[in-house]
Amino acid sequence: MENTSEIPSTMKTHHPLTSFHGKSSYLATIMIQRPEIFAEIERGLRRAPVVVVTGPRQVGKTTIARQFVPIDDLNYFDLEDPASLARLSEPMTALRNLSGLVVIDEVQRRPDLFPILRVLVDRPETRTRFLILGSASGELLRQSSESLAGRTERIAIGGFTLDETGYDKANRLWLRGGFPPSYLAENTEDSIAWRRNFITTMLERDFPQWGVQVAATRLLRFWNMLAHYHGGIWNGSEIARALETSESTARRYLDLLGDALVVRQLQPHFVNIKKRQVKSPKIYVRDSGLLHRLLGIDEMKDLVVHPKVGASWEGFVIEQVLSTIDHDDAWFWGTHQGAEIDLLLRRGDRMIGIECKRSDAPKKGRSMQIARDDLELERLLVLYPGTTPYPLDDRIDVVPLQQLADPRFDPFR
């Protein structure tokens, strides 16, 4: 057991970790425990004076932080609260005499705080720790890297995962997505309304607050286009023509949504083989519920007959894998001859492949064999919605998706 004597006193009291609590009827009746995230933040605070937690808005970062420091505590600063902003009008004065754990929520609104945090954590004999929460990744991480190099630990969190909801709720999680207010909504209409409002608020309020000078209607049109490209290779020239703009502008829009943590650019992997390999990223709307809202899919009966059902399921599985399986790097791999692997994971010097197949009984394909051999994969797993695991070939195995709901499951074993 780890020694807690060096942990600030505000961290020593553990509370049941839930998605949200006490704000509306659906939150009052359903609680989803997220102990792994809580424990990861605890470990980070033991190792580093500053822990930076990133995740999309309303994914549960604030609720997690409140398990460490109550929101009415003087050590809690919410930068969307005018009172907190007023307290930080002179940040050095406000922060330097605090001890224990200090939480700063929505830090992307005050990037000027990072140099001040560096001064504070570098004080001799200081035991103050800072838990920093942010809803944007790009500029936030650049600021923290430059100002707090060697002093931070970064943790990215997303929506609910199968190991948190249970596999019996997999279809609900796939359809509604993992944002707590969407997943936990009392009915479909409330879930749809929340996702619609989330999209509108991000484009009309959040982006302008972050200094983005692009019309909300234009970004919404672009985001809708990306939904139809979900699971496909980025084709900037094609999207730029459809949007009637330049390719560089389309790329900037893509990076904006990526920095807001709502779009994933899965980068390609390269190996030294005599085959032309795909060099552009694959594009995914990270939350399946937002994807379905952008595509106008409201019910499961509509989803299963939609042309994008396969791509939607692939993206859902990839996000679940990336959220639940410990890894160092992740890519996809493809050749212009047609061989492709949906996901490659590296941990240390070990590499495995993941294929996502929404079928009752996946069969061995030549693409799987080519990828296994060309990439020298330790294992290739084919995740499918069935219940029975079975081998397809040497180092190629079919694995039920429900295995991801078991916290003990580790494909690297």
Side-chain angles (χ1 to χ4, degrees), residues 13-34:
T13 301
H14 295 261
H15 304 277
L17 185 56
T18 58
S19 59
F20 289 91
H21 50 270
K23 284 193 173 182
S24 65
S25 58
Y26 71 85
L27 299 178
T29 57
I30 304 177
M31 305 293 248
I32 303 292
Q33 294 189 349
R34 311 191 77 178

Side-chain angles (χ1 to χ4, degrees), residues 19-20 26-27 32 34 55-61 135 157-161 164-165 172-185 190-192 194-196 198-199 202 206 223 260-263 285-291 293 316 319-320:
S19 59
F20 289 91
Y26 71 85
L27 299 178
I32 303 292
R34 311 191 77 178
R57 290 183 59 83
Q58 300 195 45
V59 81
K61 300 185 302 297
S135 298
I157 68 171
F160 291 143
T161 55
E164 294 167 341
T165 65
R172 178 190 183 111
L173 185 62
W174 177 26
L175 178 66
R176 294 186 174 190
F179 283 95
S182 176
Y183 175 82
L184 297 173
D190 288 351
S191 176
I192 293 169
W194 184 88
R195 282 176 273 151
R196 183 189 302 117
F198 176 91
I199 292 169
M202 172 166 282
D206 295 340
W223 203 353
L261 304 171
V262 293
V263 167
V285 177
R286 294 178 62 161
D287 182 76
S288 57
L290 293 183
L291 171 69
R293 180 83 296 273
F316 171 70
E319 290 300 320
Q320 294 299 311

Side-chain angles (χ1 to χ4, degrees), residues 88-312:
L88 283 173
S89 59
E90 296 292 339
M92 183 63 78
T93 300
L95 296 172
R96 68 180 159 200
N97 292 324
L98 298 178
S99 60
L101 181 62
V102 177
V103 174
I104 303 177
D105 199 350
E106 299 298 343
V107 73
Q108 73 278 349
R109 297 190 56 152
R110 289 286 305 272
D112 59 298
L113 292 176
F114 286 111
I116 293 170
L117 294 178
R118 182 190 62 198
V119 172
L120 293 174
V121 300
D122 283 350
R123 291 174 299 176
E125 305 302 321
T126 184
R127 295 187 61 197
T128 306
R129 294 287 186 269
F130 292 89
L131 178 58
I132 307 300
L133 313 179
S135 298
S137 66
E139 186 59 29
L140 171 67
L141 292 186
R142 282 189 289 274
Q143 290 279 351
S144 64
S145 297
E146 293 167 3
S147 301
L148 295 168
R151 304 166 179 86
T152 64
E153 182 148 338
R154 300 174 188 169
I155 298 171
I157 68 171
F160 291 143
T161 55
L162 286 169
D163 60 328
E164 294 167 341
T165 65
Y167 187 72
D168 59 320
K169 300 295 192 300
N171 279 345
R172 178 190 183 111
L173 185 62
W174 177 26
L175 178 66
R176 294 186 174 190
F179 283 95
S182 176
Y183 175 82
L184 297 173
E186 288 184 341
N187 52 59
T188 299
E189 291 73 19
D190 288 351
S191 176
I192 293 169
W194 184 88
R195 282 176 273 151
R196 183 189 302 117
N197 290 334
F198 176 91
I199 292 169
T200 301
T201 300
M202 172 166 282
L203 298 179
E204 295 183 355
R205 188 195 74 174
D206 295 340
F207 276 144
Q209 287 181 346
W210 299 341
V212 175
Q213 302 298 318
V214 182
T217 53
R218 192 164 183 79
L219 278 177
L220 178 59
R221 184 182 172 201
F222 177 75
W223 203 353
N224 274 301
M225 284 184 187
L226 289 189
H228 290 278
Y229 280 86
H230 176 88
I233 304 296
W234 168 252
N235 188 328
S237 59
E238 185 174 280
I239 292 178
R241 284 194 301 271
L243 200 61
E244 298 179 337
T245 190
S246 68
E247 190 169 345
S248 62
T249 297
R251 181 72 204 201
R252 182 166 68 90
Y253 293 170
L254 178 64
D255 290 339
L256 286 174
L257 292 174
D259 282 354
L261 304 171
V262 293
V263 167
R264 180 181 296 280
Q265 299 180 53
L266 189 61
Q267 299 297 326
H269 179 67
F270 300 101
V271 290
N272 187 20
I273 57 175
K274 294 180 180 180
K275 294 177 181 176
R276 292 181 60 214
Q277 297 168 77
V278 176
K279 297 181 180 180
S280 297
K282 289 181 76 171
I283 305 302
Y284 295 93
V285 177
R286 294 178 62 161
D287 182 76
S288 57
L290 293 183
L291 171 69
H292 299 152
R293 180 83 296 273
L294 293 165
L295 293 173
I297 299 170
D298 295 337
E299 303 278 359
M300 184 58 69
K301 62 182 177 61
D302 303 317
L303 174 57
V304 296
V305 297
H306 196 277
K308 296 295 290 185
V309 61
S312 170

Side-chain angles (χ1 to χ4, degrees), residues 269 271-273 333 344-345 349-353 368-380 395:
H269 179 67
V271 290
N272 187 20
I273 57 175
W333 179 76
L344 296 173
L345 297 180
D349 59 356
R350 305 170 67 190
M351 181 111 77
I352 65 169
M368 297 181 192
Q369 295 173 292
I370 292 172
R372 177 198 60 190
D373 297 338
D374 285 357
L375 302 177
E376 300 180 353
L377 298 178
E378 186 169 303
R379 297 181 70 189
L380 197 161
R395 308 196 318 275

